[in-house]
Amino acid sequence: MNPETMIRVGDVELCVQTAGDRGDPAILLIHGAAASMIGWEEELCDRLAAGGRFVIRYDQRDTGRSTVSRGGHPAYDMRDLADDALAIADALGLDTVHVVGRSMSGGTALILAVDHPDRVASVTFMSTTTGDSGLPGPSFAFRDAVEAPAPAVDDHDAWVEHVVAVIRAYDGDSTLFDEVHVRRLVELDLARSTDPGAANNHFAIDTPGPVHGGFGHVGVPALVVHGELDPVFPLPHGYALRDAIPGARLVVLEGAGHELPAARWDEFTAALLEHTAPRGAR
């Protein structure tokens, strides 16, 4: 991958990293709540780049090396996060991007697809939800794990153990959880984060939807990717997304929870490369 760079968006700086040839179709990867770009793993990005894509991952506000909001009071909402994504595309000289919104950032992806369709070549909703009230809620085991008190950030070992345990909970009953691999990512994320605790600000932001409609107004090609065993948004959320978006296609990752395990990278990469291929090549 290319070296990390800082892009200024108003009074905010965002840490951005790319892989591949800028002349190839661009994929903008947006991770979910409290997750930095490390969650879009370097090897995964390189695989997508090897498939002929220009891949962009970045630290959203309050994660990694990007600007953090002190004091637990984020002065931004989901529409601001969508504007950040557009600003990154602008800074990289990209007229359009294929947007991938994961978990919380499915909301960001929806805003981009509905309110800015001229900038979005396609959209992928991964491990996310329509938010319909009739859908099943998170598992009790997941709720118990994420509601456990967090240790002090400056207690390195305790913090790492806590984050690993939370990520394990996001995988639910999946047998694909790789603790050694996850622990390495958590250590890397902690080492490069300006303020690891600030990422929890994502759970406090307002989440307004698009100005010009909802899932039924998505007019760009749409892909839905969902883990079979997701304990956060159980699989019916994936079916609901597919059904709500005109022409959407659903890919279910067998045996996967809310996360994207390395054991399912082949399926994910193949689906995303097919989805983002130039129209004549599909």
Side-chain angles (χ1 to χ4, degrees):
M1 297 193 70
N2 296 315
E4 296 178 7
T5 60
M6 302 301 293
I7 291 176
R8 178 163 287 279
V9 181
D11 59 354
V12 172
E13 281 195 318
L14 302 173
C15 185
V16 179
Q17 190 172 31
T18 64
D21 187 333
R22 192 170 300 199
D24 287 334
I27 296 177
L28 182 66
L29 302 172
I30 313 176
H31 214 307
S36 74
M37 66 172 160
I38 295 300
W40 295 111
E41 298 174 49
E42 186 170 335
E43 182 182 343
L44 176 63
C45 293
D46 287 340
R47 288 192 188 192
L48 292 169
R53 302 294 183 270
F54 180 57
V55 183
I56 308 144
R57 66 176 189 170
Y58 67 103
D59 294 329
Q60 296 199 79
R61 304 184 192 205
D62 285 324
T63 71
R65 293 174 175 162
S66 291
T67 296
V68 299
S69 302
R70 303 291 180 180
H73 300 287
Y76 59 89
D77 63 20
M78 189 160 280
R79 289 182 187 156
D80 294 309
L81 296 180
D83 289 342
D84 288 350
L86 292 174
I88 289 171
D90 289 340
L92 295 174
L94 301 170
D95 293 331
T96 61
V97 292
H98 295 275
V99 173
V100 182
R102 190 166 167 181
S103 196
M104 178 193 80
S105 294
T108 306
L110 179 63
I111 292 170
L112 292 169
V114 173
D115 289 346
H116 306 279
D118 57 320
R119 304 298 305 277
V120 177
S122 77
V123 62
T124 298
F125 296 98
M126 181 177 180
S127 302
T128 189
T129 180
T130 60
D132 293 343
S133 59
L135 292 169
S139 70
F140 290 113
F142 170 78
R143 291 177 182 177
D144 289 344
V146 298
E147 290 173 1
V153 175
D154 57 3
D155 186 340
H156 177 276
D157 291 346
W159 181 263
V160 169
E161 291 300 325
H162 169 73
V163 176
V164 170
V166 168
I167 295 175
R168 182 186 291 109
Y170 273 90
D171 271 327
D173 292 331
S174 175
T175 61
L176 303 178
F177 178 78
D178 183 341
E179 181 169 344
V180 173
H181 182 75
V182 168
R183 188 176 299 277
R184 180 182 64 81
L185 290 177
V186 172
E187 291 276 9
L188 176 61
D189 200 33
L190 182 58
R192 64 182 296 279
S193 293
T194 302
D195 181 357
N200 287 323
N201 285 336
H202 285 181
F203 299 108
I205 67 170
D206 291 330
T207 56
V211 174
H212 299 298
F215 287 102
H217 298 88
V218 173
V220 300
L223 174 67
V224 177
V225 179
H226 214 93
E228 177 189 19
L229 303 177
D230 191 333
V232 185
F233 302 126
L235 187 53
H237 291 251
Y239 290 124
L241 273 167
R242 179 200 59 191
D243 294 343
I245 303 168
R249 181 169 73 98
L250 171 64
V251 172
V252 176
L253 299 179
E254 182 179 356
H258 192 71
E259 300 297 310
L260 177 57
R264 293 294 174 263
W265 285 359
D266 285 347
E267 293 94 324
F268 174 75
T269 300
L272 190 56
L273 290 178
E274 178 184 357
H275 181 59
T276 59
R279 288 187 178 274
R282 293 181 185 177

